[in-house]
Amino acid sequence: MAKVSVNLDDDLETDDSAHKLKTMAAPLPSVSKAKSSALKDARRVQFSFTNVPEPIKEAFAAEAMRRGLTKKELLYECLRAGGINIPATSEIDARRR
């Protein structure tokens, strides 16, 4: 019976055809999605404030509930209203890929 030799140590860096395939398979850059994907893939950190008066916290939570938003979504809306360019929540929420 003949033996079959299999070489699994392919060097894809020096193989021209492999380089061409990698180039063809690379995703096309999208300027419109660059910022949202950068925010979606960014490391998550804690964001909090010092203690605020309880009526302010309750008013914020009530306004979020009235609008049908989470507190984070309302915060993003407030930041957008203040002039900070933040994409829609659905574009930057990593759980909604």
Side-chain angles (χ1 to χ4, degrees):
M1 182 182 286
K3 290 186 178 181
V4 176
S5 176
V6 177
N7 183 5
L8 298 178
D9 295 327
D10 293 335
D11 187 7
L12 298 178
E13 298 303 320
T14 59
D15 187 8
D16 287 337
S17 61
H19 180 67
K20 288 178 185 177
L21 286 174
K22 281 183 179 180
T23 304
M24 291 171 53
L28 296 175
S30 171
V31 175
S32 63
K33 292 189 178 185
K35 184 173 184 175
S36 62
S37 61
L39 291 172
K40 187 182 286 189
D41 296 335
R43 186 173 77 87
R44 300 299 195 231
V45 296
Q46 185 70 33
F47 184 84
S48 62
F49 299 99
T50 60
N51 293 332
V52 296
E54 191 171 1
I56 293 174
K57 180 181 177 185
E58 290 172 355
F60 189 83
E63 182 63 20
M65 187 180 295
R66 185 185 73 75
R67 293 183 185 202
L69 301 173
T70 65
K71 289 185 233 177
K72 185 191 297 187
E73 290 170 332
L74 180 59
L75 174 64
Y76 289 166
E77 289 295 323
C78 292
L79 293 172
R80 286 183 194 109
I84 297 176
N85 186 13
I86 299 175
T89 305
S90 61
E91 293 181 30
I92 60 174
D93 191 344
R95 297 171 295 172
R96 299 176 184 165
R97 291 182 182 231

